[in-house]
Amino acid sequence: MSTPLTQAERSAVSDKAMLVSAMNLILAHGTDKTTLAMIGEAAGYSRGLATYQFGSKAGLYDALCKSISRNWLEYLKSGVGDKVGIEAMCAALDAIRQFVEDSPREGRVLQILYCGAASPSSEFPDTSIGIHNRQRSDVVEWVKAGQANGEIRKDVDAVAVASHYVSYISGMTYLWLTSPETFDFSTTNAEMKRQLRVSLAARGTNA
Amino acid sequence: MSTPLTQAERSAVSDKAMLVSAMNLILAHGTDKTTLAMIGEAAGYSRGLATYQFGSKAGLYDALCKSISRNWLEYLKSGVGDKVGIEAMCAALDAIRQFVEDSPREGRVLQILYCGAASPSSEFPDTSIGIHNRQRSDVVEWVKAGQANGEIRKDVDAVAVASHYVSYISGMTYLWLTSPETFDFSTTNAEMKRQLRVSLAARGTNA
DNA sequence: TAATCACTTGCTTGTTGACAGCAAGTAACT
DNA sequence: AGTTACTTGCTGTCAACAAGCAAGTGATTA
């Protein structure tokens, strides 16, 4: 209780507080208009701590991006389990939906940060690119496993299917971010699932 | 030749020069690290002209976004012609590909600007949102027309199909922007077309 | 065991250079 | 002369850095 914190604990506490403040401020004002001083002071520290802890604004946003991504990948893993093939792809879509419902703030900020990573000389492109590449390789494996067990037709290119699938997810989350009122997550995802089932199913599996 | 330009011409010339400079600088340094002074001076004018002409940095980027978007919509219109249904959707995908091949710089910058518009309190969200909404309504019409002429199965939700389709396009261009080396435009689009044909074709049309 | 001291780590404050935006001015067309 | 295109001087704000202060840590000594 009154036990003084160890150094490591102090750091962990301030670190976490900074990321939380950053997330709130990004949601309220966007990445550009959020200043490092605002983040530090909103977290209950000084205006200089954000720079000190994370080196730069880009460093802080990168850390935030990694933090939320870890969270999201947990969701994804537990949603997909050890499914493969079409079922894995559909389960991943459901996992996104669940994540966005349970943690809309995290979801929105992650999407905003991914967008920021698109600019040339963004200082944290690797985080975003790495995650998308990893997602795509996962999907490639799902497709190949589905082809191996006969669920998915053998004449589709697993890499092309994975690129297509990841493209859809990226764009879908982007549109959800930019126009949450007019974009219907559920029906759009349902259509995606329908198309996946119809277009990937091996002959005869398509009941 | 030595005829002095009219005021309107002077404006048009400097306006154009500013947008070209802005595009080059954004490609080289990203939107954040490009300064209004750089843009003005690269265009052969003073550091202050950009602010004067466009009011603000956001104003300039909005104008650039509109300018490239106009260009792109021309491409789209001429590529799709008066096709409807699945063929219109496939033709639009080809038009994107052609635009990106003919004008990769415009394509990249447009995508970067769309990403910038995603942030809350972006000062030009309407341009991006408007274009995406318009694209989606166009697709809804294509789908409905395809259903009317019997090409597309009647039991799909036109709005869901359109949302799905626009999602794919958004994400595909985003991935092309962020990792142009590892992303194969052609095969990914080919897979999208294949899925559209298989999953939307009315019964019996699926040769 | 407790006290102290040398050292490390967490955090703050002073400062600098760069930038966006504005306002007042100059030059070019009409 | 008057309007429109463009420039220059200026200000407030911000990211980044550097120097310092305070809180924690671990070894030595008694």
Side-chain angles (χ1 to χ4, degrees):
Chain A
M1 197 66 72
S2 65
T3 305
L5 300 172
T6 65
Q7 299 279 57
E9 284 169 336
R10 289 215 301 166
S11 276
V13 167
S14 68
D15 224 77
K16 183 82 182 180
M18 292 307 237
L19 293 182
V20 169
S21 292
M23 195 169 77
N24 291 333
L25 289 165
I26 288 173
L27 283 169
H29 309 115
T31 51
D32 283 14
K33 293 192 175 173
T34 297
T35 71
L36 293 172
M38 286 163 72
I39 294 172
E41 282 162 3
Y45 295 87
S46 72
R47 64 179 174 74
L49 184 57
T51 306
Y52 171 79
Q53 286 271 27
F54 298 98
S56 70
K57 199 173 184 180
L60 194 158
Y61 287 167
D62 189 35
L64 182 56
C65 188
K66 286 199 173 90
S67 164
I68 301 178
S69 291
R70 258 193 300 277
N71 209 331
W72 150 237
L73 289 173
E74 285 298 312
Y75 251 82
L76 183 63
K77 199 193 282 182
S78 79
V80 173
D82 50 7
K83 297 190 189 70
V84 295
I86 296 172
E87 290 317 308
M89 296 168 85
C90 290
L93 291 177
D94 290 334
I96 294 176
R97 179 168 158 60
Q98 197 194 332
F99 181 71
V100 159
E101 263 179 20
D102 292 355
S103 319
R105 301 165 64 78
E106 281 79 1
R108 290 186 74 83
V109 171
L110 186 60
Q111 189 60 30
I112 291 168
L113 292 173
Y114 281 164
C115 280
S119 191
S121 79
S122 148
E123 291 167 44
F124 56 109
D126 298 343
T127 304
S128 160
I129 292 178
I131 287 171
H132 283 104
N133 279 342
R134 182 178 155 185
Q135 279 190 353
R136 198 176 56 175
S137 344
D138 285 351
V139 179
V140 170
E141 294 313 309
W142 295 344
V143 174
K144 284 184 177 165
Q147 287 176 315
N149 71 21
E151 180 199 13
I152 294 182
R153 43 194 299 175
K154 302 257 188 322
D155 63 347
V156 297
D157 174 0
V159 173
V161 170
S163 292
H164 167 270
Y165 177 82
V166 174
S167 292
Y168 166 75
I169 289 177
S170 297
M172 188 260 296
T173 49
Y174 171 82
L175 291 179
W176 163 76
L177 169 71
T178 54
S179 38
E181 314 81 22
T182 60
F183 188 83
D184 188 331
F185 225 102
S186 309
T187 60
T188 309
N189 268 0
E191 174 62 19
M192 177 63 173
K193 289 191 218 167
R194 193 190 67 76
Q195 291 202 15
L196 286 175
R197 290 187 202 283
V198 171
S199 65
L200 296 183
R203 208 193 308 252
T205 321
N206 180 11
Chain B
M1 197 64 73
S2 65
T3 305
L5 301 171
T6 66
Q7 298 281 54
E9 283 168 339
R10 286 217 300 169
S11 277
V13 167
S14 68
D15 224 78
K16 183 82 183 179
M18 292 308 239
L19 293 181
V20 170
S21 292
M23 196 171 76
N24 292 332
L25 289 165
I26 289 173
L27 283 168
H29 309 115
T31 50
D32 284 13
K33 294 192 175 171
T34 296
T35 71
L36 293 172
M38 286 163 72
I39 294 172
E41 282 163 3
Y45 294 88
S46 72
R47 65 180 171 72
L49 184 57
T51 305
Y52 171 78
Q53 285 271 27
F54 299 98
S56 70
K57 199 173 184 180
L60 194 158
Y61 287 166
D62 189 35
L64 182 56
C65 189
K66 285 198 173 93
S67 163
I68 301 178
S69 291
R70 258 193 300 277
N71 207 332
W72 150 237
L73 289 173
E74 285 298 310
Y75 251 82
L76 184 62
K77 200 193 282 182
S78 80
V80 173
D82 50 6
K83 297 189 188 73
V84 296
I86 297 173
E87 290 317 308
M89 295 167 86
C90 290
L93 291 176
D94 290 334
I96 293 176
R97 179 169 159 58
Q98 197 193 333
F99 182 71
V100 158
E101 263 179 18
D102 292 356
S103 319
R105 301 165 62 80
E106 281 79 2
R108 290 185 74 84
V109 171
L110 186 59
Q111 189 59 30
I112 290 167
L113 293 173
Y114 281 163
C115 280
S119 191
S121 78
S122 150
E123 291 168 42
F124 56 109
D126 298 342
T127 304
S128 160
I129 292 179
I131 287 171
H132 284 103
N133 280 343
R134 181 178 156 186
Q135 280 191 353
R136 198 175 56 176
S137 346
D138 285 351
V139 179
V140 171
E141 294 313 309
W142 294 345
V143 173
K144 285 184 177 165
Q147 289 176 313
N149 73 20
E151 181 199 12
I152 293 182
R153 43 195 299 176
K154 301 256 188 321
D155 62 348
V156 296
D157 175 359
V159 173
V161 170
S163 292
H164 167 271
Y165 176 81
V166 174
S167 292
Y168 165 75
I169 289 178
S170 296
M172 188 261 294
T173 49
Y174 172 81
L175 291 179
W176 163 76
L177 171 71
T178 54
S179 39
E181 315 81 22
T182 61
F183 187 83
D184 188 331
F185 225 103
S186 309
T187 59
T188 309
N189 268 1
E191 174 63 19
M192 177 63 172
K193 290 191 218 169
R194 193 191 67 76
Q195 292 201 15
L196 287 176
R197 290 188 202 281
V198 172
S199 64
L200 296 183
R203 206 192 311 251
T205 320
N206 181 10

